[in-house]
Amino acid sequence: MNITRRTLLALGTTIVAVTAGSFAQYPLVNAQANRVLNLYSARHYDTDNALYQGFTKRTGIKVNLVEAPADKLIERIKSEGANSPADVLMTVDAGNLWRAEEAGLLQPISSRALQSAIPANLRDPEGHWFGLSKRARVIIYNKNRVKPSELSTYEDLANPKWKGRVIMRSSSNVYNQSLTGSLLAVHGAKKTEEWAKGLVANFARPPQGNDTAQIKEVAAGVGDVTFANTYYVVRLMESNKPEDRDVVSKIGVFFPNQGDRGTHVNISGGGVVKTSRNRDAAIKFLEYLVSPEAQTIFAKGNNEYPVRANIAVDPKLASLGKFKEDRINAAVFGRNNSQAVRIMDRAGWK
């Protein structure tokens, strides 16, 4: 995925996009002088444009957007050093936010608006980053081959009864790394590695594909169960393609661990870059993103759960059911990421 730059002017009516190869021809603007916020974002959803337009309409501050995967953005900020023009880093998964914090790229901020709107478990205790939306990592099952009564926990999928029935995406995927990191916090290294080995022993095929691919393959009977984030299911539900809606008719969604700690919840989030030249605007941007207006856009635009209480979720997302959430602080499975990766590697989860 190439790094791209989009300058959203006024209400976003003018957009300039360039690839990494020609980026130098379009230097980022001086944020302070031009009332422009330089946003580095790993969220690749076009619906986020409504967020940037809403912020500009409310504040008069334009959003200059650079898009790329989280690892590329983190490396870019590192290489730019003290001269980085970035004001805000926004990305998916607490693991990526933790990596940025550990690299010294984010500065702590104090904001009553952020602290009052975002539950403590969805933000960094020191204020380096803040959760802006949530996604639950659930079990997807083939309705013709699995009964909901057979399902219970993430841990249970390591049971030999699931041998040859589990499909999964790669351990290089940060969503699975964070899930494993959350299990580490609960069970410790030894039991988590036993779980990972048991899960791998039950794989129906080598890990491959993204969350959508896992869902479609479960519907096709390649495997009986998998893990996926909830919004991928809703995307298929809302698709204009009959074949996507047919996939949904063949699968069920199960929220694991309702009898104990609750279902694993991850976040999209953001933080103010340490070298930001426009700190006040950066804080205003994050505060806007937890406003009722912006939280409604998160909920309806990408079918995510809002972090702010009393914001209606997308009706199709709501149709998946209510559930108990795991309240572990997102910083914990970020902190556990490197150990989780080592455990997954030793277990043969490729």
Side-chain angles (χ1 to χ4, degrees), residues 74 92-100 174 178 266 330 333-335 337:
I74 290 171
V92 296
D93 199 282
N96 289 322
L97 292 165
W98 174 259
R99 290 171 190 169
V174 73
S178 289
N266 211 320
F333 44 82
R335 187 183 306 123
N337 181 270

Side-chain angles (χ1 to χ4, degrees), residues 96-210:
N96 289 322
L97 292 165
W98 174 259
R99 290 171 190 169
E101 179 189 346
E102 282 294 282
L105 304 183
L106 303 177
Q107 60 176 287
I109 63 170
S110 178
S111 164
R112 289 184 180 179
L114 293 170
Q115 290 173 352
S116 63
I118 305 170
N121 65 303
L122 301 178
R123 49 185 163 87
D124 175 51
E126 305 300 323
H128 289 89
W129 49 263
F130 300 85
L132 304 170
S133 63
K134 301 183 295 185
R135 57 277 303 275
R137 196 145 187 82
V138 296
I139 294 175
I140 304 297
Y141 64 95
N142 184 303
K143 290 196 292 188
N144 290 326
R145 300 166 66 164
V146 178
K147 296 178 181 178
S149 59
E150 297 179 73
L151 300 165
S152 56
T153 64
Y154 299 106
E155 291 88 339
D156 183 62
L157 291 193
N159 188 305
K161 72 179 182 181
W162 297 106
K163 189 171 182 63
R165 303 174 69 187
V166 177
I167 61 172
M168 201 64 59
R169 67 187 296 178
S170 169
S171 62
S172 64
N173 170 246
V174 73
Y175 301 151
N176 285 336
Q177 292 170 5
S178 289
L179 173 60
T180 303
S182 72
L183 267 68
L184 256 172
V186 175
H187 299 299
K190 182 179 178 181
K191 287 188 176 180
T192 301
E193 187 160 346
E194 290 173 356
W195 168 79
K197 288 179 178 177
L199 190 70
V200 170
N202 291 338
F203 284 174
R205 52 109 170 109
Q208 57 188 266
N210 58 17

Side-chain angles (χ1 to χ4, degrees), residues 8-307:
L8 289 84
L9 303 176
L11 294 181
T13 55
T14 302
I15 297 178
V16 178
V18 297
T19 64
S22 57
F23 194 89
Q25 300 173 33
Y26 298 87
L28 288 175
V29 294
N30 183 306
Q32 192 72 29
N34 295 279
R35 285 182 62 75
V36 172
L37 179 85
N38 288 325
L39 170 65
Y40 285 21
S41 178
R43 285 177 57 90
H44 53 274
Y45 317 122
D46 289 341
T47 52
D48 281 4
N49 288 343
L51 295 169
Y52 313 144
Q53 293 166 11
F55 175 69
T56 298
K57 185 175 182 180
R58 179 176 290 195
T59 65
I61 301 171
K62 301 166 187 174
V63 175
N64 191 59
L65 176 64
V66 176
E67 291 180 312
D71 57 345
K72 292 186 181 295
L73 292 175
I74 290 171
E75 288 306 312
R76 181 185 175 105
I77 297 172
K78 284 181 183 179
S79 66
E80 290 170 339
N83 295 318
S84 177
D87 295 307
V88 172
L89 173 67
M90 191 159 71
T91 184
V92 296
D93 199 282
N96 289 322
L97 292 165
W98 174 259
R99 290 171 190 169
E101 179 189 346
E102 282 294 282
L105 304 183
L106 303 177
Q107 60 176 287
I109 63 170
S110 178
S111 164
R112 289 184 180 179
L114 293 170
Q115 290 173 352
S116 63
I118 305 170
N121 65 303
L122 301 178
R123 49 185 163 87
D124 175 51
E126 305 300 323
H128 289 89
W129 49 263
F130 300 85
L132 304 170
S133 63
K134 301 183 295 185
R135 57 277 303 275
R137 196 145 187 82
V138 296
I139 294 175
I140 304 297
Y141 64 95
N142 184 303
K143 290 196 292 188
N144 290 326
R145 300 166 66 164
V146 178
K147 296 178 181 178
S149 59
E150 297 179 73
L151 300 165
S152 56
T153 64
Y154 299 106
E155 291 88 339
D156 183 62
L157 291 193
N159 188 305
K161 72 179 182 181
W162 297 106
K163 189 171 182 63
R165 303 174 69 187
V166 177
I167 61 172
M168 201 64 59
R169 67 187 296 178
S170 169
S171 62
S172 64
N173 170 246
V174 73
Y175 301 151
N176 285 336
Q177 292 170 5
S178 289
L179 173 60
T180 303
S182 72
L183 267 68
L184 256 172
V186 175
H187 299 299
K190 182 179 178 181
K191 287 188 176 180
T192 301
E193 187 160 346
E194 290 173 356
W195 168 79
K197 288 179 178 177
L199 190 70
V200 170
N202 291 338
F203 284 174
R205 52 109 170 109
Q208 57 188 266
N210 58 17
D211 275 23
T212 301
Q214 311 309 309
I215 296 169
K216 289 181 176 180
E217 289 193 354
V218 165
V222 176
D224 292 351
V225 290
T226 190
F227 299 145
N229 287 349
T230 40
Y231 63 89
Y232 289 104
V233 178
V234 181
R235 282 184 189 175
L236 293 169
M237 294 171 74
E238 295 183 342
S239 173
N240 292 324
K241 298 178 180 179
E243 59 268 30
D244 287 343
R245 297 195 299 276
D246 183 59
V247 165
V248 176
S249 71
K250 296 176 180 177
I251 60 98
V253 173
F254 185 86
F255 292 95
N257 296 82
Q258 294 301 285
D260 46 63
R261 64 185 181 277
T263 295
H264 174 67
V265 169
N266 211 320
I267 59 172
S268 277
V272 178
V273 177
K274 191 174 184 178
T275 55
S276 170
R277 296 172 176 84
N278 206 357
R279 185 175 186 272
D280 289 344
I283 295 173
K284 285 181 181 178
F285 180 67
L286 293 178
E287 290 176 340
Y288 169 73
L289 293 180
V290 295
S291 68
E293 173 187 323
Q295 286 288 290
T296 298
I297 294 172
F298 273 118
K300 296 186 181 300
N302 192 46
N303 315 121
E304 297 172 270
Y305 295 100
V307 295

